[in-house]
Amino acid sequence: MIQENNLRHQEETTEYEIDLLDPVVMQRLQDQFCAANNLYCVCLSKTRGVVTKAYGTKEELDYIHKKAGMNRHVTLLNKLFTTDLEDVIEEPLEESGFKMCGISIRLGGTIAAMWIVIGVIEDDGMRIPGRPECVKTTTSGQYYRSIEFLSYLSRQIFATKLDEIIAQEAFAKSHESQKKIEGELRRSEVMTSIVQMLESENGFSKITEDILKDVCEYLNISNACLLRLGNNGTTVDMISEWCLEARNSYIARCQDCPVEEFPFMNGKPYIFSSGTVMPDRFHTFCETWMVRAGITLPVEINHTPAMYLVFFETERDHIWDVSEIKFVKEVKQIIQSILSKRIAKNSLASSYASLEAILENVGCGICVKDHAQNRVLYSNQQFRKMFPDNDMESRLRARSQSDDSYMDNSYVEYFDEEDNHYYDIYQNPINWVDGRMVTLSTIYDVTDKKLYQQKIERQANNDFLTGLYNRMRCEHDIEECIQNTKEHGGQGALLYIDLDDFKHINDGLGHQYGDMLLKAISNSFQRVEGIESQCYRMGGDEFVIIVPHYQYHRLEDIIEDIKEVFLKPWFLKGSEYYCTMSMGVVKFPVDGDDVQELIKKADIALYEAKRCGKNRVEFYDETVETSSFQRLDLEQNMRHATSHECSEFEVYYQPVVDISLDGDPCSGAEALVRWNSSTMGLISPAEFIPMAEYLGLINPIGHFVMREACKHCKYWNDMGHPDYHVNVNLSVVQLLRNDIVDSIRQVIEETGINPKNLTLEVTESLAINDIGRMKQILGDIKQLGVMLALDDFGTGYSSLNHIRELPIDIIKIDRCFIIDIGKDDYSEVFVKMVSELAETIGVRICVEGVEELEQVEKLRVMKVQYIQGYYYGKPMRAADFEEKYLD
């Protein structure tokens, strides 16, 4: 048994190893690690052999292999395989200045993967003689710290992936168990229905027809019948039948048929599935009666076969399984008992024997009790198995003495604390064989059913993905906390949390990684002291945390602990991602004592946090509620405006001037959207654009602006200004759409604009948040022939090295650096430095927010090409722009 368990453990470990060792991910991890730490690595495993290609150029690897020697590699691998005590082993090398370590990553005590890490060591400025310049070096201290980091990182990656695989397997097993329980419950219901026919007063044919119907519907088979031998044993009659389709009925055809047509009528049971090898006479029978699978069982009268119970399938192939065969045999015993009872109903002894045979084979406990004498007259084997000490009798007696309704036709749910079993008990008065009144108790073990119901209740209260309580449980607990707070005094708080820009994680990495982030954040919430069991997922990326009255004194600490959860990055898809949250806080009963009212006010506070820039906490304020209604009006009117082809929106144009040319001519304009609502009047872009992005309505608005801007620019180009260009802003919501490139291409084709006269602006913070993805998206857009500009430069955290990776043509320096130019040395040096470096990498500069002549002259000296600001013109309607700048 131990050997079998070890073998099974090894097989499971091998399966996990295959799932966990993604060569692409491991190669990326290795290359980034080696490049960051100046080391040389390779990853190996027992099953895959070499998992990753060794890091380094051919010249570097030739030098390393020459110094380290392949025999040392083999020796180190043998040590890793043969020791269970160490996960990191250093192999001494003859060459000074070289170190080699092996790292083993274990799963369940078995090595899943190994790293071989070689470092070229130059401490205290010492240089290894003959070392090629291309070979990377490190120090001893850095080498060992890197080894420790790689070991820790690998274990974390493997542990996370392993947890995911195990969770998926556990879910599959749970699903199978659920289906099995449901099947057993259905079988019990059908068998109970059949057993109840023992007391039916209907004719035998009607009873058997009802039984055949129940069996066929449960087993999902097409036909069943009961055949009877004629008096002389030479003919066969069908006396009862059930069929799925009336056209497949055989009862009229099967009357007074020769017994030779039925090869199974020889007193033996037969079972034949589709495809079973059978004698010729059975083949003939199946072809004649179109039978594709069947079970035939003899029904005896006085130990002599007199009838045959037949279940068969005519519509499709069928393979009988063990549970179906067992079930059919039990049904046959019941039918035989009913037949025997009907034949010998005037014989008390015969009737009792038949009844006892039936009751001993049903799947429930049976007990007959005489309450007058307080004595049990009969109990079947199943009852004695349920209660081997017969203690149920005293419990039934105690209940009957204390509760008279238990003596009447009643149903009782009973839980036995001693064996942790649930029972359904049915009580019915009947006449005993000698005519006296007794009580028949039918006891069903419904433990599996009850446990399944409890599981369903847990699912009703818990969020399936994160395991946190769900919205329904949240509303129940809030009401309970409000009541407790009123009874004990003090205050409680409701924290409403929404993740900022979570949609970008889902759209960028996929819902699988979005789900992983939600689970990780949920686990972090549950580790915050004071709210471990008060965390709820309301849906999507929204969470609620209840701070009860006895924890209210720690409210500030709890909020700070939650904020700290979001200070660290989350490791998703091989990279680190930051996710922030906005929180609305409402107190009870100060701010309200109604559940829905509190949730509404917390949501109002949450929206205020979003409106004020996200990544912040806002407490509910009554003055904010008014703005909440304004927000609803704004949302309603915006949806109406966008649904009517954005007719209420208008595009304004602010001139862009080229000061590198004589006369500072206009070179184009930036398109800026304005909204003149028919009901709310002129609305500031700062107010409606964040709302449009939040609602996803920025897509139709942005498309409208781009189409209008391109249409006007094409007009300018045709009217004597072929070099005029127009700048259009792209929001993060637009850029992350899968069809953004097609959308831009469609506008270019519809308007006929020269693509080089269209400049698309993206903000600096958006461009560097996911540099890899932005390179791909912007590269695809660049293929259309348009120009790309990096807007608001200097307000984010990017470097010119990052900018160099992006296919941009223009850098737009934010106005905050221009306000104090000529007065503040930092602003002047910043603009000059960016201008010079941009010239070096072939990127043009545009400065925003220029309002004074002195600023213009300063920028002219710095060789800035484009200027935009109130000095040359405010944003204006298309007609005004064309009157001023179209000669």
Side-chain angles (χ1 to χ4, degrees), residues 153-169:
L153 181 60
S154 300
R155 288 196 303 272
Q156 293 301 311
I157 293 174
F158 276 55
T160 301
K161 182 65 176 177
L162 181 59
D163 288 345
E164 183 179 344
I165 294 172
I166 292 174
Q168 292 173 351
E169 292 180 350

Side-chain angles (χ1 to χ4, degrees), residues 29-216:
L29 171 65
Q30 169 194 289
D31 292 348
Q32 291 181 355
F33 171 79
C34 291
N37 296 277
N38 288 350
L39 298 175
Y40 297 89
C41 289
V42 66
C43 182
L44 309 167
S45 78
K46 277 187 177 181
T47 57
R48 291 181 182 269
V50 178
V51 178
T52 63
K53 180 182 177 182
Y55 178 80
T57 63
K58 184 177 185 304
E59 183 180 355
E60 290 176 289
L61 294 177
D62 289 344
Y63 176 76
I64 295 298
H65 290 156
K66 179 179 178 182
K67 294 297 183 180
M70 291 306 296
N71 58 328
R72 292 295 185 183
H73 285 75
V74 175
T75 302
L76 180 56
L77 288 174
N78 288 334
K79 290 180 180 179
L80 289 172
F81 280 129
T82 55
T83 181
D84 294 330
L85 301 178
E86 296 179 280
D87 290 334
V88 179
I89 298 177
E90 182 173 357
E91 177 67 16
L93 300 177
E94 297 177 358
E95 293 283 347
S96 62
F98 293 84
K99 292 185 181 293
M100 176 191 291
C101 281
I103 303 172
S104 59
I105 309 301
R106 301 177 185 274
L107 292 178
T110 302
I111 295 177
M114 297 162 290
W115 292 103
I116 303 298
V117 186
I118 298 177
V120 180
I121 310 300
E122 291 187 352
D123 290 323
D124 301 327
M126 178 190 71
R127 178 178 174 84
I128 299 174
R131 173 181 63 79
E133 288 298 330
C134 63
V135 175
K136 300 175 179 60
T137 64
T138 186
T139 64
S140 299
Q142 182 61 35
Y143 175 77
Y144 290 117
R145 286 192 295 273
S146 299
I147 291 294
E148 182 179 355
F149 174 71
L150 180 59
S151 176
Y152 172 78
L153 181 60
S154 300
R155 288 196 303 272
Q156 293 301 311
I157 293 174
F158 276 55
T160 301
K161 182 65 176 177
L162 181 59
D163 288 345
E164 183 179 344
I165 294 172
I166 292 174
Q168 292 173 351
E169 292 180 350
F171 176 77
K173 291 180 180 178
S174 174
H175 184 66
E176 291 176 1
S177 299
Q178 178 179 336
K179 290 183 64 177
K180 183 178 179 181
I181 292 174
E182 291 174 349
E184 291 176 352
L185 290 174
R186 173 61 179 150
R187 183 183 186 279
S188 298
E189 291 173 358
V190 175
M191 184 57 72
T192 300
S193 174
I194 294 173
V195 170
Q196 290 175 347
M197 294 182 190
L198 288 168
E199 300 300 321
S200 175
E201 296 298 327
N202 293 328
F204 180 72
S205 295
K206 180 65 171 68
I207 292 175
T208 54
E209 183 178 329
D210 291 341
I211 292 175
L212 296 179
K213 177 179 181 295
D214 288 346
V215 173
C216 288

Side-chain angles (χ1 to χ4, degrees), residues 438-701:
V438 295
T439 300
L440 170 65
S441 299
T442 310
I443 302 98
Y444 296 91
D445 186 340
V446 293
T447 304
D448 290 340
K449 176 182 176 182
K450 285 292 183 182
L451 294 177
Y452 175 69
Q453 289 175 343
Q454 292 171 3
K455 179 180 178 181
I456 295 300
E457 290 174 0
R458 286 195 300 271
Q459 291 176 349
N461 286 309
N462 290 75
D463 176 58
F464 178 76
L465 176 65
T466 63
L468 299 181
Y469 291 133
N470 59 17
R471 185 183 190 96
M472 182 176 70
R473 178 62 181 269
C474 175
E475 294 178 355
H476 172 272
D477 288 358
I478 293 174
E479 186 172 359
E480 190 174 88
C481 281
I482 293 173
Q483 188 63 33
N484 290 338
T485 303
K486 289 181 178 179
E487 292 176 0
H488 296 89
Q491 292 189 78
L494 180 68
L495 317 182
Y496 206 129
I497 297 171
D498 183 83
L499 305 185
D500 296 330
D501 301 322
F502 177 72
K503 183 177 185 296
H504 304 336
I505 297 288
N506 265 346
D507 293 344
L509 302 181
H511 289 273
Q512 174 188 0
Y513 292 95
D515 290 348
M516 291 174 60
L517 178 60
L518 290 175
K519 288 190 283 188
I521 290 174
S522 300
N523 291 335
S524 298
F525 285 164
Q526 290 179 303
R527 290 195 292 269
V528 174
E529 181 183 353
I531 59 170
E532 296 87 347
S533 61
Q534 304 290 333
C535 305
Y536 309 82
R537 183 186 179 208
M538 302 297 280
D541 59 343
E542 295 182 350
F543 299 86
V544 162
I545 292 173
I546 302 175
V547 180
H549 65 91
Y550 53 84
Q551 291 288 352
Y552 184 78
H553 65 283
R554 296 192 65 255
L555 177 60
E556 292 185 5
D557 293 336
I558 290 172
I559 293 176
E560 288 301 317
D561 290 343
I562 294 173
K563 290 166 68 175
E564 286 184 10
V565 168
F566 295 89
L567 294 179
K568 60 180 179 61
W570 308 91
F571 192 77
L572 301 172
K573 206 173 184 179
S575 300
E576 291 183 344
Y577 287 84
Y578 284 88
C579 178
T580 60
M581 66 86 193
S582 299
M583 179 191 298
V585 182
V586 64
K587 301 174 183 178
F588 57 83
V590 176
D591 294 327
D593 58 3
D594 177 74
V595 174
Q596 297 304 324
E597 179 185 10
L598 286 175
I599 293 177
K600 172 187 171 184
K601 290 181 176 179
D603 188 37
I604 291 172
L606 171 62
Y607 176 76
E608 184 65 14
K610 293 277 190 183
R611 191 184 67 83
C612 294
K614 305 179 183 178
N615 193 22
R616 58 190 295 122
V617 177
E618 290 289 340
F619 285 77
Y620 171 74
D621 186 348
E622 290 183 357
T623 60
V624 176
E625 188 165 1
T626 302
S627 66
S628 173
F629 292 111
Q630 294 175 351
R631 172 174 65 94
L632 293 175
D633 289 341
L634 184 66
E635 176 181 341
Q636 181 180 3
N637 282 280
M638 186 182 298
R639 292 188 184 277
H640 179 269
T642 54
S643 67
H644 289 74
E645 299 182 352
C646 298
S647 58
E648 294 182 358
F649 294 95
E650 185 176 1
V651 180
Y652 278 50
Y653 300 91
Q654 185 175 29
V656 177
V657 175
D658 188 346
I659 64 172
S660 67
L661 301 177
D662 293 338
D664 300 346
C666 175
S667 64
E670 178 177 359
L672 301 168
V673 67
R674 296 292 183 265
W675 181 20
N676 190 3
S677 171
S678 58
T679 57
M680 302 180 69
L682 194 62
I683 301 173
S684 167
E687 185 175 356
F688 76 80
I689 288 180
M691 169 69 77
E693 290 182 332
Y694 180 75
L695 298 174
L697 299 177
I698 197 66
N699 290 309
I701 296 174

Side-chain angles (χ1 to χ4, degrees), residues 418-432:
E418 294 184 8
D419 62 0
N420 278 337
H421 272 242
Y422 293 87
Y423 298 99
D424 282 352
I425 303 175
Y426 295 87
Q427 295 283 330
N428 291 289
I430 62 171
N431 289 318
W432 191 234

